[in-house]
Amino acid sequence: MPPPADIVKVAIEWPGAFPKLMEIDQKKPLSAIIKEVCEGWSLGNHESFALQIADATNFYITEKNRNDIKNGSILRLTTSPYQTAVQLHERIQSTSMDAKLESLKDLANASRDITFAQEFINLDGISLLTQMVESGTERYQKLQKIMKPCFGDLLSFTLTAFVELMDHGIVSWDTFSVAFIKKIAGYVNKSAMDTAVLQRSLAILESMVLNSQDLYHKVAQEITIGQLIPHLQGTDQDIQTYTVAVINALFLKAPEEKRQEMAHILAQKQLRSIILSNVIRSPTPINDEMAHQLYVLQVLTFNLLEDRMMTKMDPQDQAQRDIIFELRRIAFDVECDPNNSGSIEKRKSMYTRDYKKLGFINHVNPAVDFTQIPPGMLALDNMLYFARHHQDAYIRIVLENSSREDKHECPFGRSSIELTKMLCEILKVGELPSENCHDFHPMFFTHDRSFEEFFCICIQLLNKTWKEMRATSEDFNKVMQVVREQIMRALTLKPNSLDQFKSRLQNLSYTEILKIRQSERMNQEDFQSRPILELREKIQPEIMELIKQQRLNRLCDGTCFRKISSRRRQDKFWYCRLSPNHKVLHYGDLEESPQGEVPHDSLQDKLPVADIKAVITGKDCPHMKEKGALKQNKEVLELAFSVLYESDEYLNFIAPDKHEYCVWTDGLNALLGKEMTSDYTKSDMDTLLSMEMKLRLLDLENIQIPEAPPPIPKEPSNYDFVYDCN
């Protein structure tokens, strides 16, 4: 007979005593269980004790998380969170350097637990830590030369505890003094600072800037870009990442009127080239967090273009009109003096003719073309940059299109405006950076005017594609679609430089794009004709049933699962398999990994399939919910699933690999009559459906399938041709 669902068998440790095996009744109050444990060891005053998970996390058991305790868990009897907080609060104020150091180390570890953190914060612990940072460490300044490593550790543990406590979101960031900010900024500004202290200080500054507009102003007064730059020139990627994060935070929270000024300072300090040489081209591979911070910096840099992108041209502004005159002068090498000889009508006629050659929509007053937002004045900026910095290419494009008389000329002005708008869409100019994106492009860090250079490459591509397509003005939108596809495909390859991007585009001619499109259509095997779509729909249930049977057969074979232990003890295993009649799950512990299948009769426990209520996956699983579990087992989070059965009990799994995870979650869902939704099922469906379609359509090769069925022929005049079997 199985034990009651509310009874959990655990082992409980107490320093200096043998571990005690006992059964915990989850219906009892936690205080009553702790009292029972204390009495077993003859300990009085049970209110001063608590239970912890006996692993690296040391998280306290509370009424909220007690249901996460599973059979076989190892717990530890320890002092209560309040008592521990009081003790550490006193110990960190010790006059003994060794005692202070040890207690701060313990505090840094304990602060990861929110239960302890709440108690320590209630004792005004954060104020104590900030006072220690502001003034308490001053008394050790004289000892720093003699005991430099010790001083670094002392400060490091203090700041680590502070960061861990603030991460729980219990205390507002707005409460910190200028003196504290100055201290933290001082640690960042020092050239030779302990790595751990520098790392924590940068993390604190980033959080301050992001969480409080008031603190942003205070931090901005204490930290300059020039003081942050040296930290990027080292080899520690964590320090580099935190440094870029602080720069991004300052950039993000800066008022709009100060962002251009900050960008100018970043350009003066050569931030781009420093990141390029010390981070992007460093021999150390870029980790995900650094990739995210570089992506954020890329987005914030391009967002500086938003102001020009959303500014309409003022046709009455002479300075803006002079830019158009400059484009005309460079292209046709003419004087733009408005007082030159000739009548007004003659000059207007000449201007109109030249503006038509430049490809503007409004030949009389091209300023009107730049009143569309986006791209607004940004398009005119790009055109002027192209004309001045790539003059030969600009003149060639304008002249070769202005001299054509076959209606195949590519309008430079209209193309530039639409291309600028497209590039802003591709690079998402004006949008805030995504929290989880790592999509930065190294080539944008290789030039101070990367957007303009990007435009110059793409406008030449557009002109080339236009000629390859032999397009006319009616084909303008088609050309733009092809150009967008060429740019997107080249960007997907993540070129390291603008020249590499340009060479990739050379290999993506219009002919090549057509080949790629044709190849993709062939691979999809989805011809969209009604008869083939009907055939797919008819075959799909048969294929799904085949996949379902394969999954259930695999469950009947069974799988060996590893028991995950954060204590790094010897590996233990358990085995689970489905009975041949698909009605019972048999499972049980194993001493070692089995060689082959494990028979049903050697598995002690059973779970009837009829009792299963649901299948839960990922972070929703009970054994993945704890903060510590997520931190420790992040790599297995995607392999975790649980079976919920009666009385709110769980059978928790961590699959050995992604393949087994998909097999088991699909098989269990199939047993419950639910849809199989794993990536593995989708892949199998695509493969098997594609093969079946190819087999069934084998005889129809090169035969056009009609949209409508053929008409039924008329009945014959007689049936004499019918053979009488009698």
Side-chain angles (χ1 to χ4, degrees):
M1 182 176 173
D6 292 318
I7 301 299
V8 182
K9 294 182 177 180
V10 299
I12 300 180
E13 297 177 341
W14 172 250
F18 288 108
K20 180 181 291 187
L21 297 175
M22 68 176 291
E23 294 182 350
I24 290 178
D25 186 349
Q26 292 285 37
K27 289 180 180 177
K28 279 187 180 180
L30 194 58
S31 57
I33 295 169
I34 293 170
K35 183 179 180 182
E36 184 183 339
V37 174
C38 290
E39 287 173 352
W41 273 307
S42 303
L43 300 171
N45 194 16
H46 67 271
E47 295 89 355
S48 300
F49 291 92
L51 291 173
Q52 279 181 330
I53 300 286
D55 60 13
T57 62
N58 292 332
F59 285 170
Y60 282 98
I61 303 296
T62 63
E63 291 291 353
K64 288 183 181 179
N65 65 17
R66 62 182 295 179
N67 289 327
D68 296 339
I69 304 173
K70 298 301 169 194
N71 277 318
S73 296
I74 299 175
L75 308 182
R76 180 186 297 120
L77 184 66
T78 184
T79 52
S80 69
Y82 173 74
Q83 291 290 336
T84 307
V86 170
Q87 290 169 13
L88 284 174
H89 193 273
E90 292 174 0
R91 285 170 55 204
I92 62 175
Q93 299 179 71
S94 169
T95 54
S96 164
M97 175 68 86
D98 290 337
K100 195 181 191 76
L101 186 62
E102 194 61 33
S103 58
L104 282 168
K105 184 178 180 180
D106 292 342
L107 178 63
N109 288 327
S111 297
R112 291 180 297 169
D113 182 5
I114 191 168
T115 311
F116 168 84
Q118 186 68 68
E119 296 292 350
F120 190 78
I121 289 168
N122 290 343
L123 294 171
D124 213 14
I126 286 189
S127 295
L128 176 61
L129 291 178
T130 54
Q131 287 167 18
M132 288 173 64
V133 172
E134 287 173 30
S135 58
T137 54
E138 294 285 351
R139 72 183 73 167
Y140 303 109
Q141 294 290 341
K142 295 176 183 177
L143 299 173
Q144 191 172 354
K145 290 182 181 177
I146 307 168
M147 306 178 67
K148 190 173 182 182
C150 186
F151 176 78
D153 289 343
L154 187 80
L155 191 53
S156 170
F157 290 134
T158 305
L159 295 179
T160 302
F162 176 82
V163 170
E164 291 287 354
L165 291 167
M166 292 302 297
D167 273 352
H168 296 296
I170 300 169
V171 179
S172 169
W173 282 94
D174 285 310
T175 56
F176 297 107
S177 66
V178 174
F180 179 72
I181 297 168
K182 283 179 180 290
K183 262 304 183 198
I184 299 296
Y187 299 142
V188 172
N189 294 339
K190 283 182 183 175
S191 55
M193 198 66 208
D194 183 80
T195 304
V197 172
L198 178 58
Q199 193 177 40
R200 305 301 186 279
S201 300
L202 288 166
I204 291 169
L205 290 179
E206 183 200 6
S207 295
M208 283 180 170
V209 172
L210 291 176
N211 287 288
S212 168
Q213 193 64 33
D214 183 44
L215 285 182
Y216 156 75
H217 293 293
K218 292 175 182 175
V219 172
Q221 289 173 358
E222 300 299 327
I223 288 286
T224 65
I225 301 299
Q227 290 163 335
L228 291 170
I229 293 289
H231 300 311
L232 289 171
Q233 295 171 318
T235 56
D236 189 320
Q237 191 170 122
D238 287 336
I239 296 295
Q240 292 174 326
T241 304
Y242 278 108
T243 304
V244 178
V246 172
I247 293 170
N248 285 337
L250 291 168
F251 214 143
L252 191 63
K253 291 296 179 179
E256 286 187 24
E257 64 274 9
K258 285 193 174 181
R259 283 182 193 165
Q260 293 289 351
E261 180 186 335
M262 187 174 172
H264 181 64
I265 294 169
L266 292 176
Q268 277 186 330
K269 299 292 181 183
Q270 296 185 317
L271 175 71
R272 177 199 59 76
S273 60
I274 289 169
I275 288 175
L276 181 67
S277 57
N278 292 281
V279 179
I280 296 174
R281 291 179 178 168
S282 164
T284 309
I286 293 175
N287 59 35
D288 285 348
E289 185 55 34
M290 175 57 91
H292 171 68
Q293 294 300 339
L294 292 176
Y295 152 78
V296 172
L297 182 60
Q298 174 186 293
V299 171
L300 294 175
T301 304
F302 283 139
N303 281 357
L304 295 170
L305 303 168
E306 185 182 11
D307 184 47
R308 293 295 282 174
M309 181 180 80
M310 301 306 290
T311 301
K312 293 183 179 181
M313 185 170 184
D314 180 5
Q316 306 305 318
D317 189 324
Q318 187 59 44
Q320 293 179 358
R321 293 174 64 191
D322 285 345
I323 298 175
I324 298 176
F325 288 144
E326 178 73 357
L327 290 173
R328 175 176 171 266
R329 184 194 66 76
I330 295 171
F332 306 115
D333 195 22
V334 295
E335 290 296 329
C336 293
D337 183 7
N339 300 318
N340 60 3
S341 58
S343 65
I344 295 173
E345 289 77 10
K346 186 176 179 181
R347 288 206 306 276
K348 280 186 178 179
S349 173
M350 186 170 59
Y351 289 163
T352 302
R353 182 198 66 207
D354 289 348
Y355 293 150
K356 185 178 181 181
K357 288 180 179 180
L358 280 168
F360 290 112
I361 298 171
N362 192 316
H363 306 149
V364 179
N365 185 9
V368 176
D369 289 12
F370 299 99
T371 55
Q372 172 197 349
I373 54 170
M377 287 295 291
L378 187 59
L380 189 58
D381 294 343
N382 282 340
M383 292 167 72
L384 183 63
Y385 182 90
F386 181 48
R388 285 179 171 169
H389 294 84
H390 300 271
Q391 192 166 319
D392 291 344
Y394 166 70
I395 293 171
R396 177 177 53 76
I397 287 176
V398 172
L399 293 185
E400 74 179 17
N401 285 294
S402 63
S403 59
R404 297 185 71 133
E405 306 226 345
D406 55 1
K407 295 186 179 179
H408 288 288
E409 65 276 1
C410 175
F412 173 73
R414 182 185 175 192
S415 298
S416 298
I417 292 167
E418 290 301 319
L419 179 64
T420 301
K421 183 180 177 183
M422 181 200 293
L423 297 183
C424 289
E425 290 171 1
I426 290 171
L427 298 176
K428 296 181 171 58
V429 174
E431 293 184 21
L432 286 174
S434 166
E435 288 185 10
N436 301 314
C437 188
H438 309 102
D439 189 25
F440 86 97
H441 293 279
M443 72 177 194
F444 291 129
F445 289 85
T446 62
H447 202 285
D448 288 327
R449 304 287 294 274
S450 59
F451 184 79
E452 289 89 340
E453 288 292 327
F454 186 43
F455 167 84
C456 294
I457 293 169
C458 293
I459 193 66
Q460 294 176 74
L461 167 73
L462 191 152
N463 188 63
K464 174 174 169 281
T465 303
W466 185 285
K467 288 189 288 186
E468 289 171 351
M469 293 177 67
R470 292 195 53 77
T472 63
S473 57
E474 287 80 14
D475 302 316
F476 189 87
N477 291 333
K478 290 181 183 177
V479 175
M480 295 305 292
Q481 287 173 8
V482 174
V483 169
R484 176 186 280 269
E485 187 173 344
Q486 289 170 314
I487 294 169
M488 292 300 290
R489 288 185 184 278
L491 284 176
T492 304
L493 300 169
K494 292 287 178 75
N496 291 320
S497 66
L498 290 162
D499 286 338
Q500 201 175 88
F501 173 69
K502 195 172 182 178
S503 65
R504 295 269 162 84
L505 289 175
Q506 295 292 332
N507 299 327
L508 286 169
S509 63
Y510 175 58
T511 308
E512 189 60 30
I513 290 292
L514 288 179
K515 286 180 184 176
I516 293 170
R517 286 178 175 178
Q518 180 66 21
S519 172
E520 287 177 352
R521 276 197 295 269
M522 292 296 290
N523 290 335
Q524 286 172 358
E525 289 292 335
D526 193 358
F527 303 113
Q528 300 302 321
S529 64
R530 191 165 56 82
I532 289 186
L533 291 175
E534 288 177 1
L535 180 60
R536 285 177 68 89
E537 288 177 13
K538 184 179 178 182
I539 296 172
Q540 203 156 335
E542 301 172 18
I543 301 293
M544 188 58 77
E545 184 61 29
L546 185 66
I547 294 171
K548 177 182 173 182
Q549 289 305 319
Q550 187 272 342
R551 298 294 191 268
L552 294 176
N553 290 341
R554 278 288 294 106
L555 263 61
C556 290
D557 294 339
T559 301
C560 177
F561 297 94
R562 189 184 300 273
K563 285 190 171 183
I564 301 297
S565 170
S566 57
R567 297 187 73 193
R568 307 293 179 198
R569 294 173 303 166
Q570 187 176 359
D571 289 339
K572 290 192 176 181
F573 303 91
W574 67 291
Y575 200 87
C576 187
R577 64 181 298 181
L578 180 66
S579 62
N581 62 4
H582 299 171
K583 293 196 174 176
V584 180
L585 281 176
H586 296 265
Y587 63 95
D589 292 344
L590 301 174
E591 288 302 319
E592 57 184 5
S593 182
Q595 302 297 320
E597 292 183 18
V598 176
H600 296 94
D601 52 12
S602 66
L603 300 173
Q604 307 87 358
D605 301 307
K606 296 179 182 179
L607 172 60
V609 171
D611 291 348
I612 297 176
K613 293 182 179 180
V615 178
I616 301 161
T617 60
K619 62 184 179 182
D620 296 326
C621 296
H623 56 316
M624 289 290 116
K625 276 186 177 177
E626 292 182 11
K627 182 182 176 186
L630 288 175
K631 276 187 175 179
Q632 283 189 297
N633 301 320
K634 202 169 184 180
E635 69 279 1
V636 298
L637 186 61
E638 293 182 356
L639 302 176
F641 61 97
S642 299
V643 172
L644 169 65
Y645 54 98
E646 61 183 0
S647 304
D648 293 329
E649 286 294 317
Y650 293 91
L651 190 60
N652 296 319
F653 298 76
I654 294 178
D657 53 48
K658 189 69 175 176
H659 179 273
E660 288 294 325
Y661 169 83
C662 293
V663 165
W664 273 86
T665 52
D666 283 342
L668 291 168
N669 280 320
L671 285 172
L672 298 178
K674 295 182 179 179
E675 190 178 350
M676 298 185 292
T677 56
S678 76
D679 296 339
Y680 189 39
T681 293
K682 185 178 182 299
S683 172
D684 282 355
M685 173 61 75
D686 291 343
T687 303
L688 294 171
L689 193 56
S690 174
M691 289 173 64
E692 186 66 21
M693 290 291 290
K694 286 176 180 176
L695 286 170
R696 296 205 184 191
L697 296 174
L698 200 59
D699 296 332
L700 300 179
E701 193 173 348
N702 297 325
I703 296 175
Q704 189 172 3
I705 300 171
E707 288 292 329
I712 299 171
K714 292 179 181 179
E715 289 191 14
S717 56
N718 61 68
Y719 292 90
D720 295 344
F721 57 86
V722 177
Y723 179 75
D724 189 354
C725 295
N726 299 324

